[in-house]
Amino acid sequence: MSFSDYLEDKVLDHVFGGNAYTAPTTLYVGLFTSTPTDSTAGTEVSGGSYTRKTAAFTVSGTSPTEAASSAAIEFPTATATWGTVTYAGIFDASSSGNMIAYAELTDPADLTTALPKTIGTGDVFRISSGNLKIRLD
């Protein structure tokens, strides 16, 4: 999983600039149908009952230290086609806000099970508990 420029700036300013960074109280997972980058979000799914979902993480280990989703993340049943979901992003708000990190859903380092999937009407997109990971080594 890659950090966004937003989070990289906050971490560097916090550690080396002495300016406190307050972590978001709630984290949200969003889904993308095109590739985000460190500086820009990709095309986030919209419509068809899509909403970002809250997520909590458990941090463990050293070298690497890993934050893994501590519960399943389940999106609402699609009421229209969402397209092929290829990336997930973590945000500090339920809409708009700042993207903190993102990962391609085919990367086995970030997801235990590769999940790019075309979501059609009636489908539900789920990420199993522990399956979404952020790792620093």
Side-chain angles (χ1 to χ4, degrees), residues 87-98:
Y87 280 80
I90 300 172
F91 292 85
D92 61 5
S94 60
S95 63
S96 297
N98 300 293

Side-chain angles (χ1 to χ4, degrees), residues 111-128:
L111 270 87
T112 305
T113 307
L115 291 176
K117 178 166 176 56
T118 300
I119 304 297
T121 302
D123 288 340
V124 175
F125 191 92
R126 291 179 192 92
I127 300 172
S128 299

Side-chain angles (χ1 to χ4, degrees), residues 3 22 25 29 32 34 37 40 42 51 54 59 61 66 86 98 102 106 108 110-112 115 117-118 120-121 132-133:
F3 282 6
T22 303
T25 55
V29 176
F32 296 95
S34 72
T37 68
T40 59
T51 60
T54 60
V59 178
E66 179 176 276
T86 56
N98 300 293
Y102 63 95
T106 58
D110 298 321
L111 270 87
T112 305
L115 291 176
K117 178 166 176 56
T118 300
T121 302
L132 184 59
K133 300 175 229 166

Side-chain angles (χ1 to χ4, degrees), residues 6-32:
Y6 168 81
L7 184 59
E8 290 170 352
D9 292 346
K10 293 295 184 186
V11 169
L12 286 173
D13 198 29
H14 177 81
V15 173
F16 298 103
N19 295 308
Y21 170 66
T22 303
T25 55
T26 305
L27 296 170
Y28 299 86
V29 176
L31 303 175
F32 296 95

